[in-house]
PDB file of all heavy atoms in Angstrom:
ATOM      1  N   GLY B 149     141.393   2.433  -2.947  1.00 80.00           N
ATOM      2  CA  GLY B 149     140.784   1.717  -1.848  1.00 80.00           C
ATOM      3  C   GLY B 149     139.787   0.693  -2.333  1.00 80.00           C
ATOM      4  O   GLY B 149     139.725  -0.429  -1.937  1.00 80.00           O
ATOM      5  N   GLY B 150     139.063   1.093  -3.364  1.00 83.00           N
ATOM      6  CA  GLY B 150     137.978   0.186  -3.931  1.00 83.00           C
ATOM      7  C   GLY B 150     138.638  -1.020  -4.547  1.00 83.00           C
ATOM      8  O   GLY B 150     138.235  -2.151  -4.499  1.00 83.00           O
ATOM      9  N   MET B 151     139.745  -0.789  -5.395  1.00 83.00           N
ATOM     10  CA  MET B 151     140.429  -1.863  -6.019  1.00 83.00           C
ATOM     11  C   MET B 151     140.935  -2.829  -5.030  1.00 83.00           C
ATOM     12  O   MET B 151     140.882  -4.080  -5.190  1.00 83.00           O
ATOM     13  CB  MET B 151     141.529  -1.363  -6.884  1.00 83.00           C
ATOM     14  CG  MET B 151     141.102  -0.304  -7.952  1.00 83.00           C
ATOM     15  SD  MET B 151     139.999  -1.034  -9.184  1.00 83.00           S
ATOM     16  CE  MET B 151     141.093  -2.197 -10.007  1.00 83.00           C
ATOM     17  N   ARG B 152     141.567  -2.275  -3.993  1.00 82.00           N
ATOM     18  CA  ARG B 152     142.077  -3.162  -2.968  1.00 82.00           C
ATOM     19  C   ARG B 152     141.011  -3.953  -2.249  1.00 82.00           C
ATOM     20  O   ARG B 152     141.181  -5.195  -1.999  1.00 82.00           O
ATOM     21  CB  ARG B 152     142.833  -2.321  -1.864  1.00 82.00           C
ATOM     22  CG  ARG B 152     144.078  -1.750  -2.334  1.00 82.00           C
ATOM     23  CD  ARG B 152     144.597  -0.895  -1.222  1.00 82.00           C
ATOM     24  NE  ARG B 152     145.941  -0.362  -1.447  1.00 82.00           N
ATOM     25  CZ  ARG B 152     146.546   0.437  -0.631  1.00 82.00           C
ATOM     26  NH1 ARG B 152     145.987   0.782   0.495  1.00 82.00           N
ATOM     27  NH2 ARG B 152     147.740   0.862  -0.943  1.00 82.00           N
ATOM     28  N   ALA B 153     139.886  -3.306  -2.081  1.00 83.00           N
ATOM     29  CA  ALA B 153     138.745  -4.065  -1.450  1.00 83.00           C
ATOM     30  C   ALA B 153     138.292  -5.184  -2.233  1.00 83.00           C
ATOM     31  O   ALA B 153     138.017  -6.264  -1.693  1.00 83.00           O
ATOM     32  CB  ALA B 153     137.620  -3.081  -1.135  1.00 83.00           C
ATOM     33  N   VAL B 154     138.169  -4.992  -3.548  1.00 86.00           N
ATOM     34  CA  VAL B 154     137.729  -6.017  -4.514  1.00 86.00           C
ATOM     35  C   VAL B 154     138.698  -7.205  -4.400  1.00 86.00           C
ATOM     36  O   VAL B 154     138.243  -8.362  -4.177  1.00 86.00           O
ATOM     37  CB  VAL B 154     137.561  -5.491  -5.833  1.00 86.00           C
ATOM     38  CG1 VAL B 154     137.367  -6.669  -6.816  1.00 86.00           C
ATOM     39  CG2 VAL B 154     136.333  -4.561  -5.922  1.00 86.00           C
ATOM     40  N   ALA B 155     139.949  -6.885  -4.629  1.00 87.00           N
ATOM     41  CA  ALA B 155     140.871  -8.018  -4.614  1.00 87.00           C
ATOM     42  C   ALA B 155     140.862  -8.746  -3.250  1.00 87.00           C
ATOM     43  O   ALA B 155     140.838  -9.981  -3.178  1.00 87.00           O
ATOM     44  CB  ALA B 155     142.321  -7.351  -4.811  1.00 87.00           C
ATOM     45  N   GLN B 156     140.805  -8.010  -2.162  1.00 86.00           N
ATOM     46  CA  GLN B 156     140.852  -8.692  -0.856  1.00 86.00           C
ATOM     47  C   GLN B 156     139.589  -9.538  -0.702  1.00 86.00           C
ATOM     48  O   GLN B 156     139.668 -10.634  -0.273  1.00 86.00           O
ATOM     49  CB  GLN B 156     140.953  -7.615   0.188  1.00 86.00           C
ATOM     50  CG  GLN B 156     140.977  -8.101   1.544  1.00 86.00           C
ATOM     51  CD  GLN B 156     141.136  -6.870   2.501  1.00 86.00           C
ATOM     52  OE1 GLN B 156     141.969  -6.059   2.309  1.00 86.00           O
ATOM     53  NE2 GLN B 156     140.290  -6.869   3.518  1.00 86.00           N
ATOM     54  N   SER B 157     138.392  -8.907  -0.877  1.00 87.00           N
ATOM     55  CA  SER B 157     137.224  -9.683  -0.603  1.00 87.00           C
ATOM     56  C   SER B 157     137.042 -10.886  -1.438  1.00 87.00           C
ATOM     57  O   SER B 157     136.692 -11.902  -0.982  1.00 87.00           O
ATOM     58  CB  SER B 157     135.994  -8.721  -0.796  1.00 87.00           C
ATOM     59  OG  SER B 157     136.029  -7.726   0.106  1.00 87.00           O
ATOM     60  N   ILE B 158     137.379 -10.710  -2.769  1.00 89.00           N
ATOM     61  CA  ILE B 158     137.189 -11.868  -3.601  1.00 89.00           C
ATOM     62  C   ILE B 158     138.148 -12.976  -3.203  1.00 89.00           C
ATOM     63  O   ILE B 158     137.797 -14.178  -3.206  1.00 89.00           O
ATOM     64  CB  ILE B 158     137.323 -11.448  -5.106  1.00 89.00           C
ATOM     65  CG1 ILE B 158     136.283 -10.516  -5.453  1.00 89.00           C
ATOM     66  CG2 ILE B 158     137.388 -12.615  -5.988  1.00 89.00           C
ATOM     67  CD1 ILE B 158     136.345 -10.059  -6.900  1.00 89.00           C
ATOM     68  N   SER B 159     139.419 -12.591  -2.910  1.00 89.00           N
ATOM     69  CA  SER B 159     140.310 -13.623  -2.509  1.00 89.00           C
ATOM     70  C   SER B 159     139.878 -14.302  -1.269  1.00 89.00           C
ATOM     71  O   SER B 159     140.011 -15.534  -1.125  1.00 89.00           O
ATOM     72  CB  SER B 159     141.721 -13.049  -2.284  1.00 89.00           C
ATOM     73  OG  SER B 159     142.080 -12.284  -3.389  1.00 89.00           O
TER      74      SER B 159
END
Side-chain angles (χ1 to χ4, degrees):
Chain B
M151 302 295 291
R152 288 173 173 181
V154 166
Q156 181 179 311
S157 295
I158 295 183
S159 309

